């Protein structure tokens, strides 16, 4: 595996590594990629943020979908890929993980919350859209179980939604800024399991590269940015990263 050896050397030489993760790292934990062919979003039209705000039925439908897929997510645990990144954070080699995933598995693997930058939010809890107060999903489910009653914020009466960024919802400014800051400070930028098609998130690898960092892409399929990367590995993330980092 000469490519994995090359990655191991790049990791050893780097002082500020940033990982950028997409659905591919989570599918290895059994979480379906909703955007993939046959995924749920090819069967159901996504609920746009504007519709969620405007329509009680759209809000009910979003909670129906959430609770239909919730059990799969609750059962998922971090895999070897997540653990390899957690080890790099523990060794202070890795400054942060920027993720497009909403499953909270990086935090579950032991990476502190403030070193996980979630560009698309988090689906393991809910929040008020007005005052941002957090709510447990179990609390929402108890309310929704009674005639599909919609939860409202106990503090301000605002709409409550999973803490994810929906289609049509603007990107979170603070997270985008932090992602840019850590990207510009990186000397090694590793993309794991993202096809790099969803912008603006997919702009970070190019930003790192233009800023002088080494760019590595590990993904099962080829990506639009393979041509500019210093190293491309088309393989499973868990197996690749556990060998490159030396963890199981
Ligand atoms: Zn509120």
């Amino acid at each position: 595996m000469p490519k994995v050896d090359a990655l191991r050397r790049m990791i050893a030489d780097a002082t500020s590594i940033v990982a950028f993760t997409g659905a591919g790292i989570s599918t290895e934990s059994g979480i379906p990629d909703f955007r993939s062919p046959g995924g749920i979003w090819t069967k159901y039209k996504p609920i746009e943020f504007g519709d969620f705000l405007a329509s009680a039925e759209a809000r009910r439908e979003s909670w129906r979908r959430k609770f239909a897929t919730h059990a799969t997510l609750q059962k998922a645990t971090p895999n070897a890929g997540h653990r390899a990144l957690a080890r790099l954070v523990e060794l202070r080699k890795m400054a942060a993980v920027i993720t497009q995933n909403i499953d909270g598995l990086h935090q579950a693997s032991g990476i502190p919350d403030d070193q996980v930058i979630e560009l698309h939010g988090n689906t393991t809890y809910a929040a008020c859209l007005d005052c941002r107060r957090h709510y447990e999903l179990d609390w929402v489910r108890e309310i929704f179980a009674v005639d599909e009653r919609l939860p409202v914020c106990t503090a301000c009466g605002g709409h409550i939604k999973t803490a994810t960024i929906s289609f049509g919802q603007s990107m979170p400014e603070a997270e985008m800024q932090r992602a840019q800051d850590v990207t510009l400070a990186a000397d090694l930028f590793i993309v794991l399991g993202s096809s790099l098609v969803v912008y603006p998130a997919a702009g970070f690898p190019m930003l790192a590269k233009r800023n002088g960092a080494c760019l590595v892409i590990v993904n099962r399929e080829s990506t639009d940015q393979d041509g500019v990367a210093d190293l491309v590995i088309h393989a499973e993330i868990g197996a690749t990263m556990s060998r490159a980092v030396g963890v199981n």
Side-chain angles (χ1 to χ4, degrees):
M1 296 294 282
K3 284 192 167 184
V4 177
D5 291 336
L7 177 55
R8 188 184 299 123
R9 281 192 299 274
M10 288 164 98
I11 288 171
D13 291 345
T15 56
S16 182
I17 306 171
V18 169
F20 179 94
T21 65
I25 192 168
S26 292
T27 53
E28 292 178 21
S29 283
I31 295 174
D33 178 3
F34 296 135
R35 287 187 177 84
S36 71
I40 197 164
W41 289 351
T42 58
K43 282 182 245 160
Y44 304 104
K45 196 165 146 307
I47 296 164
E48 298 266 345
F49 186 58
D51 294 334
F52 183 95
L53 292 179
S55 155
E57 177 50 27
R59 292 195 289 280
R60 278 192 288 270
E61 177 61 14
S62 80
W63 286 114
R64 275 180 217 127
R65 291 184 191 180
K66 172 60 197 163
F67 293 126
T69 55
H70 188 51
T72 306
L73 192 85
Q74 273 188 315
K75 271 187 293 186
T77 54
N79 63 58
H82 294 103
R83 288 194 294 275
L85 299 185
R87 180 70 181 141
L88 290 175
V89 169
E90 190 182 31
L91 293 169
R92 298 180 182 275
K93 295 281 275 182
M94 183 170 285
V97 177
I98 304 169
T99 188
Q100 296 175 295
N101 299 333
I102 57 176
D103 48 45
L105 288 179
H106 288 300
Q107 294 92 326
S109 75
I111 300 179
D113 287 357
D114 63 357
Q115 285 173 281
V116 181
I117 303 171
E118 296 176 313
L119 298 180
H120 297 165
N122 188 307
T123 192
T124 65
Y125 61 92
C128 171
L129 289 175
D130 292 331
C131 75
R132 302 310 304 166
R133 176 186 280 225
H134 288 188
Y135 290 92
E136 297 296 326
L137 291 173
D138 285 345
W139 178 83
V140 176
R141 179 152 46 187
E142 272 181 35
I143 292 169
F144 195 69
V146 182
D147 301 328
E148 298 195 324
R149 221 155 29 104
L150 288 166
V152 289
C153 179
T154 56
C156 78
H159 293 315
I160 291 171
K161 179 181 162 297
T162 55
T164 51
I165 305 300
S166 297
F167 287 98
Q169 193 170 3
S170 54
M171 296 295 285
E173 271 174 46
E175 282 77 5
M176 289 295 284
Q177 185 60 53
R178 283 178 59 218
Q180 183 172 323
D181 293 346
V182 297
T183 297
L184 291 174
D187 58 1
L188 175 58
F189 194 95
I190 309 176
V191 176
L192 299 158
S194 173
S195 48
L196 298 175
V197 290
V198 181
Y199 280 85
F204 291 110
M206 279 307 298
L207 180 64
K209 180 70 188 158
R210 280 202 306 270
N211 195 50
C214 284
L215 175 60
V216 176
I217 297 177
V218 184
N219 196 50
R220 292 185 80 96
E221 289 89 35
S222 56
T223 78
D224 289 352
Q225 298 184 25
D226 282 7
V228 298
D230 298 281
L231 177 67
V232 177
I233 302 177
H234 290 156
E236 201 183 309
I237 295 160
T240 305
M241 290 306 291
S242 54
R243 265 186 247 140
V245 177
V247 297
N248 291 313

